[in-house]
Amino acid sequence: ERIVQEALFHNGARIGFYQGDTTKLLNDIGALHPTIFPSVPRLFNKIYDKIMAGAMAGGIKTVLFKKALAAKMDGLRQGYLEHPLWDKLVFSKIGKRVGLDRCRLMLT
C-alpha cells in the first residue's frame, strides 16, 4: 500500500482518505471527486443503494432513469461503453451528484 501511494505521489497524484465514519462516506466522496476509487464491495453497494433510492423516487425522473438504464445496458451488451443521449442527460448528473463525475476507474 505504501509503495503504491509513493508511486502515485511521484507521478503527481493526490490521495484523499475518508473521515473514518462510514455514514459520512458519501459526503467524503462528494468532497473528493476521485479519479481512481479503490474500495470494498460493501461501500460500492452503499453508493448503488443511494443512486437507486434517488432514481426510484417516482415521477418523470424515474421514467427517464429506467429508459436510460435499459438503453445503457443494451449498449453495454453490444460493446458500447457510452450512450450519447443518456450519458449526458441522466448519468452525468447522477455522477456529479454522487461525486463520481471525474471517476475513471473503480476497483476492489
Side-chain angles (χ1 to χ4, degrees), residues 50-69:
K50 180 180 179 181
I51 290 170
M52 294 307 284
M56 299 301 167
I60 189 73
K61 288 183 179 180
T62 300
V63 173
L64 285 174
F65 179 78
K66 286 181 179 179
K67 285 183 180 278
L69 186 59

Side-chain angles (χ1 to χ4, degrees), residues 6-24:
E6 288 298 323
L8 290 170
F9 287 140
H10 181 72
N11 288 302
R14 293 178 288 166
I15 297 176
F17 295 93
Y18 82 111
Q19 297 176 40
D21 185 359
T22 57
T23 59
K24 296 180 182 179

